Each structure stands twice: as structure tokens, then as C-alpha cells.
């Protein structure tokens, strides 16, 4: 048994491991090639996050999904480059919106070069992704365009908040399906489609990917509260400090509204106060870690991961299917 990133994914089939490693190496080379420009400064900015590394979660899914057809088909690596370029582009834009200082252990692009350069660099990556897509055919262009529309819509809905009368948790889960689930779904869809897999396989993997993507994001929400910096690689409570209403906070608010317990209402008020104060932030983090809302958020994460795993049932048993199932387990493990 050997291990392939991300999440220490165990691969028990040497042929599959070789295919995945070879494919991811080709994707890495493709990312560097796609981010080159005749203008050195653009190359530097565009390769900033590529060279910073990352899980390459979406390209990995492309490679695994391709195993249900011809894993050596010519469109597989380019489509994996497309989904990762799209993901990277959204990170440049997200950092501007969030006024982030650090991304993947390095200065964010907006910190280093300013918001305008960061936004334009994200646009440059979208343009390069579109250029590659044009060679993959009109169906690939349509699929990517629909996913991108959902991604942007999710971001807008998150910014706007739930409409009057809409349950905030349901609204949030819809946002996550658009912001994260849509591109993860496209990753497995492209892998299966480009490999020539049966249409039923393509549809099955697409549904799996959307649920896995939501589970992945919800696990991040739980990690932001429950983990320490050593195990997660991130500063705990970052979303809390920035006032981002992630799932544990939304679950807490729902419990406070429904049950009206004084201690819940008091914690809600604390979370809505100025958490840039270190002592207040530490107190909020401690109390939320002990609250049933965090466990409910964990259960939500497990539910989406289990739904993703169940979607794989119709697929033939093989090493790739086992690896996709293990990714569901890995997401749950991240959430504790």
C-alpha cells in the first residue's frame, strides 16, 4: 500500500498509483505552462499560487474518474489543468474579497501586489482555462460555463445572505453546493467524460462529486473551530475572527432561536461582538468547541460524505472506486 496526496489517500493498486502520479505530474507541468506570459510580471503573479503548492484535490479526482474509461485519453490532463486553473483563479478573487494576508503559507497576491493586480491575475487564469477548454470541444465549454455560473452565483448568494423567510442553514448549504460542490463535480465529470466512460458512469460520478465537494467545505468549517494550528496547518477560529457565519455558528443560532437558552443567546452575542480582541476570540472559540452545535455540524459533514459514498454503489468494483470511497472517509476524518 502506498500513499498519494491529498489527505494521505491510500492506493493499493500499483498500476493505479502509477497512473495517478504520472497524471498529476503532467498536470503540474501543464499549470506552469498555462501560467506563462510574454510579460514576466504576469508570469510571476500567475504562478504565485501554483508554486505555493496545494492539495490538487480536483486534478486527483479527474485522474481517478478517468479510470472508468481510457485513463490515457488525450483530454484528461488538459481538463484537470482547467479545473485547477479555475480553482486558483477563484482564490485570487476570494483573497481580495476577504482581505486575506496569507494564502498557502505565502503572502496573498493582493498583499504583495495590491487588489487590482490580484483581480486581474485571477481573470488571466480564467482566460487561460478558457483557451484550453476551446480545444476540448463545445460540450466541455458548456459544462465549465454552467459550473462557473453556479460558482459565482453561490458567492453572490453568500454575500447577499438568505432572503426573508429562508432557513439560513438551507441557504448556506445551497451556497456551498454552488461555491465548492459545482467545481468538484465538474472534476469527476471531466475525468469520466474525457476517458469515454459510459454516460451513466459520468452522471453517477457527477452526483458523487457535488456531495463530496460540500462535505469537503463543511469539514473545513468544523476544522476552523475544532482543530489546533498544528494538525490543520491553519490558525483556528479564522472565520470566527472575520465574522464569517460558517455552519457551526449557523447551527448555534438556530438552536438559540428555537430553544432560547440564555447561555446560547449569550454565546451568539459574543460571536457577534468584536472578535479581533484576542481574549474575546479565545473565549468564543472555547465555548463553541464545547457546544452541541459543533457536533451537529460534524454530523452534517458525515451525512454529505455518506451520501457521496452511496452514489458510487452502481459503479463496478475496482481500485479507483475504492479510492473514491476512501476520499469520503478522509473528509469525515478531517472533521473529527
Amino acid at each position: 500500500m502506498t500513499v498519494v496526496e491529498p489527505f494521505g489517500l491510500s492506493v493499493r493498486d500499483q498500476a493505479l498509483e502509477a497512473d495517478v502520479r504520472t497524471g498529476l505530474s503532467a498536470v503540474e507541468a501543464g499549470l506552469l505552462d498555462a501560467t506563462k506570459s510574454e510579460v514576466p510580471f504576469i508570469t510571476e503573479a500567475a504562478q504565485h499560487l501554483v508554486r505555493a503548492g496545494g492539495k490538487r484535490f480536483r486534478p486527483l479526482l479527474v485522474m481517478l474518474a478517468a479510470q472508468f474509461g481510457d485513463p490515457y485519453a488525450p483530454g484528461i490532463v488538459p481538463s484537470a489543468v482547467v479545473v485547477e486553473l479555475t480553482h486558483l483563479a477563484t482564490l485570487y478573487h476570494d483573497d481580495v474579497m476577504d482581505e486575506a494576508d496569507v494564502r498557502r503559507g505565502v503572502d496573498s497576491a493582493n498583499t504583495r501586489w495590491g487588489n487590482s493586480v490580484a483581480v486581474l491575475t485571477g481573470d488571466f487564469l480564467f482566460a487561460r482555462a478558457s483557451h484550453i477548454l476551446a480545444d476540448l470541444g463545445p460540450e466541455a465549454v458548456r459544462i465549465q460555463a454552467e459550473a462557473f455560473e453556479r460558482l459565482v452565483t453561490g458567492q453572490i448568494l453568500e454575500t447577499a445572505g438568505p432572503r426573508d423567510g429562508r432557513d439560513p442553514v438551507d441557504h448556506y448549504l445551497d451556497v456551498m453546493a454552488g461555491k465548492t460542490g459545482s467545481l468538484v463535480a465538474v472534476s469527476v465529470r471531466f475525468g469520466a467524460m474525457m476517458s469515454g466512460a459510459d454516460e451513466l458512469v459520468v452522471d453517477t460520478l457527477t452526483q458523487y462529486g457535488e456531495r463530496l465537494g460540500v462535505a469537503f467545505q463543511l469539514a473545513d468549517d468544523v476544522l476552523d473551530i475544532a482543530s489546533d494550528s498544528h494538525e490543520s496547518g491553519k490558525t483556528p477560529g479564522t472565520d470566527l475572527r472575520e465574522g464569517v457565519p460558517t455552519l457551526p455558528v449557523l447551527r448555534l443560532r438556530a438552536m438559540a432561536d428555537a430553544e432560547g437558552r440564555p447561555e446560547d443567546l449569550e454565546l451568539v452575542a459574543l460571536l457577534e461582538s468584536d472578535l479581533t480582541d484576542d481574549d474575546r476570540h479565545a473565549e468564543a472559540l472555547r465555548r463553541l468547541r464545547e457546544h452541541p452545535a459543533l457536533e451537529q455540524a460534524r454530523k452534517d459533514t458525515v451525512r454529505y460524505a455518506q451520501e457521496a459514498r452511496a452514489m458510487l454503489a452502481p459503479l463496478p468494483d475496482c481500485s479507483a472506486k475504492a479510492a473514491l470511497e476512501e476520499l469520503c472517509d478522509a473528509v469525515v476524518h478531517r472533521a473529527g
Side-chain angles (χ1 to χ4, degrees):
M1 181 181 72
T2 52
V3 172
V4 176
E5 290 296 330
F7 314 131
L9 173 66
S10 301
V11 176
R12 296 168 176 83
D13 183 303
Q14 290 185 345
L16 174 59
E17 185 204 358
D19 284 349
V20 169
R21 288 191 182 279
T22 299
L24 292 177
S25 294
V27 169
E28 209 64 30
L31 288 170
L32 290 174
D33 185 61
T35 49
K36 288 179 182 174
S37 168
E38 294 179 356
V39 181
F41 176 68
I42 295 177
T43 300
E44 180 185 6
Q47 292 187 351
H48 180 61
L49 289 185
V50 174
R51 294 187 181 279
K55 298 182 182 70
R56 304 295 189 249
F57 179 50
R58 292 154 189 81
L60 173 66
L61 288 170
V62 175
M63 298 305 147
L64 291 175
Q67 293 290 320
F68 293 91
D70 175 8
Y72 312 112
I76 293 167
V77 169
S79 67
V81 172
V82 165
V83 293
E84 189 66 9
L85 282 176
T86 304
H87 172 59
L88 289 170
T90 65
L91 298 185
Y92 281 85
H93 288 177
D94 282 351
D95 286 346
V96 171
M97 293 181 65
D98 299 338
E99 299 180 349
D101 296 325
V102 177
R103 169 71 70 174
R104 295 180 174 176
V106 299
D107 288 344
S108 61
N110 47 296
T111 297
R112 180 168 294 191
W113 296 295
N115 287 346
S116 294
V117 169
V119 170
L120 292 169
T121 302
D123 293 345
F124 176 80
L125 296 182
F126 284 131
R128 286 298 173 89
S130 298
H131 184 78
I132 297 170
L133 268 170
D135 293 331
L136 297 177
E139 178 69 1
V141 173
R142 182 186 65 79
I143 290 169
Q144 175 75 357
E146 289 175 352
F148 190 48
E149 179 183 346
R150 288 190 61 206
L151 192 158
V152 173
T153 299
Q155 184 67 68
I156 292 172
L157 288 175
E158 181 178 50
T159 303
R163 64 178 183 273
D164 290 344
R166 180 83 197 280
D167 180 83
V169 171
D170 289 343
H171 170 83
Y172 183 76
L173 293 174
D174 282 349
V175 166
M176 293 303 104
K179 277 187 60 178
T180 305
S182 60
L183 194 57
V184 174
V186 165
S187 300
V188 284
R189 185 173 184 179
F190 274 168
M193 187 177 82
M194 296 298 168
S195 74
D198 181 87
E199 186 174 342
L200 178 61
V201 172
V202 176
D203 291 343
T204 297
L205 286 170
T206 301
Q207 294 179 59
Y208 159 85
E210 175 130 348
R211 287 161 178 80
L212 182 69
V214 174
F216 180 80
Q217 184 59 56
L218 298 185
D220 267 1
D221 286 1
V222 172
L223 278 172
D224 185 62
I225 304 301
S227 69
D228 58 37
S229 57
H230 175 72
E231 63 181 336
S232 70
K234 300 189 296 185
T235 303
T238 298
D239 290 331
L240 275 186
R241 192 183 293 275
E242 295 174 354
V244 178
T246 57
L247 188 60
V249 173
L250 294 173
R251 285 297 186 193
L252 167 66
R253 289 176 181 171
M255 291 177 182
D257 289 343
E259 301 169 19
R261 295 193 308 169
E263 58 268 35
D264 290 352
L265 295 171
E266 182 182 326
L267 179 52
V268 169
L270 175 62
L271 293 175
E272 292 176 350
S273 67
D274 180 10
L275 294 183
T276 58
D277 177 84
D278 288 342
D279 291 339
R280 194 179 290 120
H281 176 263
E283 174 69 7
L285 194 58
R286 181 189 66 78
R287 292 178 61 178
L288 193 53
R289 283 172 172 169
E290 298 170 353
H291 198 277
L294 181 61
E295 184 57 33
Q296 181 57 57
R298 279 198 182 97
K299 290 179 180 178
D300 293 325
T301 305
V302 171
R303 174 168 57 87
Y304 272 93
Q306 289 176 336
E307 288 178 4
R309 189 185 184 104
M311 287 294 165
L312 298 172
L315 299 181
D317 290 333
C318 61
S319 297
K321 178 180 177 180
L324 291 171
E325 289 174 337
E326 188 169 331
L327 280 176
C328 299
D329 297 337
V331 166
V332 171
H333 177 72
R334 290 174 72 234

